[in-house]
Amino acid sequence: MHSVTCKPLGAHLSTQPAPSPRPSPALSSPPPAPLVGLVAPGNAFSLRPVLETKKLGLSEIADFQGHTKHELWDLFSSADYDRHLHVCPLRNCLVKTPQTHHVEARSAEIGRPTLPSEVGIIICDITTPTSLDEMARQAAIVLNCVGPYRFYGEPVVKACIENGTSCIDISGEPQFLELMYWKYHQKAAEKGVYIIGSSGFDSIPADMGVIYTSNKINGTLTAVESFLTINSGPEGLCIHDGTWKSAVYGFGNQNQLKKLRNQSNLKPVPIVGAKLKRRWPVSYCRELSSYSIPFLGADVSVVKRTQRYLHENLDQSPVQYAAYVTVGGITSVIKLMFAGLFFLLFVKFGIGRQLLIRFPWLFSFGYFSKQGPTQKQIDAASFTMTFFGQGYSHGCSTENNKPNIRVCTQVKGPEAGYIATPIAMVQAAMTLLNDVSNLPSVGGVFTPGAAFAKTKLIDRLNRRGLEFSVISSSEV
């Protein structure tokens, strides 16, 4: 999303064909309301004070001089509330440039947003491929924020590949992410473009956090557990129902994901060292003095795909991974157990899913709402993801021996959905543009870790408020 010009990413790279994708089941039919995109030069939205220039890369504009495509990137964004917040960090990259593009995708009945008179608008309809082609042709990268991706993601991916444009999304939907790999990896490789999913809070902290932990251990990392802690202020925590909808559709179509994975017929990734033991559905983490439950987002799927890629393509030792979220004391555990039981019961049936989507606040015990968090809730929120890793020191055999080295790392950042996610997404795009020599040599469909393992993405994130650090490291 920038005024200077840029070549289609990967155009100069080798286009060695990738492995042939296997056939896979289609995603569920989308809701009837079409989405409309607006591509507009300039930016009509105010910059929130917390998103300062120093965190978001205004100084990096100079890095882009000399590129040759009309626009650097387009932002393809969804609801009105999400639009306001997702676009904020991009303004730092727009403010001194005369011709930028903003893409707004929303339900047709909402209509056009109010924009200054100097801002031109290109209508982009998700059901009209030619309009998506028009959008994709004007950028080197499309940042796709339109979800649920199972309904609205694939046409954007397809348009980007056909027009030689790379694409980054913030999907936390394993079925969509894995399906896009099997359907489009080879096509993206042939075009020399990069399609990189889950580049927001799902799942850059987890995926890059495991890579960071592996780089910091004094030996071979073989297993990692991550614990996500969401911190809120005095007004509590609230999450927009877009995330809730993705979860409802995801759990409601678990059989499709199982079928997709069975059809892929992949060889198991080898287990190196002692096998990581799974915790109980409710367990107590002594190190964090908190109860925890398994994290049911996309992190495990994404990290496992990254570890497979690193093992098969870069000959790295694969890391076992499990993800959990802390829930505080026993009162919170009981509350979440009731919410989980209601959710799992209702999500199995069509009418149950309709009720879950219509009344998110009721069925989530107030954690999700159609209005989303207030400004005060966003300002007071933050997250910490703590990684406990184990492995083997140099010279110690991983066969028939217990791990003899441990490491603890953390990723900390501001509010996850509306501040950390756009920061992560924008810096992924910056890395894709500025660190081409360290990307995979052939385009394709990648996880963040597969695409950015050798790049400076973690350094970029550290400079902008997503802090990666080592807490402790010791040999047992």
Side-chain angles (χ1 to χ4, degrees):
M1 189 169 187
H2 203 278
S3 65
V4 295
T5 56
C6 184
K7 240 180 189 178
L9 284 169
H12 61 289
L13 299 177
S14 166
T15 55
Q16 174 182 337
S20 298
R22 294 174 173 81
S24 50
L27 295 173
S28 307
S29 300
L35 289 184
V36 191
L38 304 175
V39 189
N43 179 24
F45 310 108
S46 60
L47 175 64
R48 297 182 63 252
V50 70
L51 298 174
E52 298 173 357
T53 299
K54 66 180 180 180
K55 290 186 178 181
L56 300 161
L58 178 60
S59 62
E60 293 165 335
I61 290 177
D63 297 345
F64 302 136
Q65 300 303 321
H67 294 299
T68 59
K69 202 172 182 184
H70 291 146
E71 308 298 339
L72 196 59
W73 63 59
D74 289 341
L75 176 69
F76 195 59
S77 167
S78 52
D80 190 61
Y81 191 81
D82 296 82
R83 170 196 66 181
H84 176 76
L85 290 164
H86 277 304
V87 80
C88 284
L90 297 174
R91 182 171 183 180
N92 292 285
C93 304
L94 308 178
V95 114
K96 294 186 178 180
T97 63
Q99 297 177 349
T100 52
H101 275 77
H102 168 62
V103 180
E104 172 66 21
R106 57 206 311 208
S107 298
E109 64 269 18
I110 294 177
R112 284 169 53 161
T114 302
L115 298 173
S117 58
E118 69 272 14
V119 176
I121 297 176
I122 299 174
I123 301 298
C124 180
D125 191 327
I126 198 78
T127 62
T128 307
T130 54
S131 68
L132 295 176
D133 291 338
E134 179 71 14
M135 172 188 70
R137 279 194 293 266
Q138 298 183 57
I141 307 174
V142 169
L143 308 187
N144 183 9
C145 305
V146 179
Y149 288 86
R150 65 171 49 248
F151 300 137
Y152 308 120
E154 185 172 354
V156 179
V157 170
K158 184 177 180 181
C160 287
I161 292 174
E162 290 178 351
N163 289 278
T165 301
S166 291
C167 181
I168 291 176
D169 69 48
I170 52 174
S171 172
E173 304 166 40
Q175 186 185 352
F176 168 79
L177 295 166
E178 294 180 31
L179 179 60
M180 292 304 98
Y181 173 81
W182 291 115
K183 290 187 72 172
Y184 294 104
H185 183 61
Q186 181 175 349
K187 295 177 182 178
E190 292 169 353
K191 284 283 190 175
V193 300
Y194 296 86
I195 308 298
I196 305 174
S198 56
S199 294
F201 181 70
D202 289 328
S203 294
I204 279 183
D207 206 15
M208 300 307 295
V210 172
I211 290 174
Y212 177 83
T213 305
S214 180
N215 291 338
K216 295 300 180 181
I217 196 170
N218 187 25
T220 300
L221 182 69
T222 58
V224 172
E225 291 180 313
S226 70
F227 291 82
L228 170 64
T229 301
I230 300 294
N231 307 304
S232 59
E235 296 197 5
L237 174 69
C238 183
I239 305 171
H240 196 273
D241 77 328
T243 302
W244 176 260
K245 289 178 182 176
S246 295
V248 170
Y249 290 125
F251 278 92
N253 291 276
Q254 279 185 315
N255 289 338
Q256 292 184 17
L257 179 57
K258 290 179 181 178
K259 184 178 179 181
L260 171 63
R261 289 173 174 171
N262 289 336
Q263 288 182 344
S264 67
N265 198 29
L266 291 171
K267 294 181 180 179
V269 175
I271 295 176
V272 177
K275 186 175 181 179
L276 180 63
K277 295 180 180 179
R278 303 301 179 187
R279 295 174 178 255
W280 291 95
V282 177
S283 62
Y284 188 76
C285 179
R286 296 179 183 177
E287 295 86 350
L288 300 178
S289 302
S290 175
Y291 285 95
S292 66
I293 61 175
F295 181 64
L296 301 179
D299 287 354
V300 172
S301 168
V302 172
V303 170
K304 285 185 175 180
R305 289 173 58 212
T306 293
Q307 293 305 313
R308 175 180 293 278
Y309 173 86
L310 296 177
H311 173 66
E312 293 179 351
N313 293 273
L314 301 181
D315 200 28
Q316 293 187 12
S317 177
V319 178
Q320 303 169 69
Y321 177 67
Y324 303 90
V325 56
T326 62
V327 294
I330 193 65
T331 302
S332 297
V333 170
I334 295 172
K335 187 177 179 180
L336 284 169
M337 285 178 65
F338 275 104
L341 288 173
F342 274 114
F343 183 88
L344 293 175
L345 176 63
F346 278 67
V347 80
K348 294 180 179 180
F349 309 100
I351 189 170
R353 290 192 290 271
Q354 292 177 25
L355 290 171
L356 289 170
I357 290 171
R358 187 173 181 182
F359 304 107
W361 186 86
L362 174 64
F363 289 102
S364 69
F365 287 81
Y367 285 111
F368 293 86
S369 77
K370 294 182 180 295
Q371 294 75 31
T374 65
Q375 193 63 58
K376 288 184 178 179
Q377 287 175 321
I378 291 173
D379 292 339
S382 63
F383 79 90
T384 302
M385 188 172 285
T386 305
F387 300 84
F388 296 102
Q390 63 184 28
Y392 298 79
S393 59
H394 297 295
C396 179
S397 173
T398 60
E399 295 183 9
N400 302 319
N401 287 320
K402 293 183 178 181
N404 70 336
I405 192 168
R406 302 186 186 279
V407 62
C408 176
T409 62
Q410 275 189 351
V411 180
K412 299 174 67 175
E415 191 276 335
Y418 299 104
I419 302 181
T421 286
I423 290 175
M425 189 183 207
V426 170
Q427 294 313 313
M430 294 287 197
T431 304
L432 194 55
L433 289 163
N434 283 327
D435 212 351
V436 175
S437 63
N438 290 315
L439 297 172
S441 59
V442 179
V445 179
F446 298 100
T447 61
F452 301 126
K454 301 298 183 181
T455 70
K456 299 296 184 181
L457 175 58
I458 290 176
D459 293 338
R460 285 182 173 277
L461 296 172
N462 265 320
R463 294 196 297 267
R464 288 160 183 84
L466 298 186
E467 302 172 6
F468 291 68
S469 62
V470 177
I471 304 302
S472 64
S473 181
S474 62
E475 187 167 341
V476 181

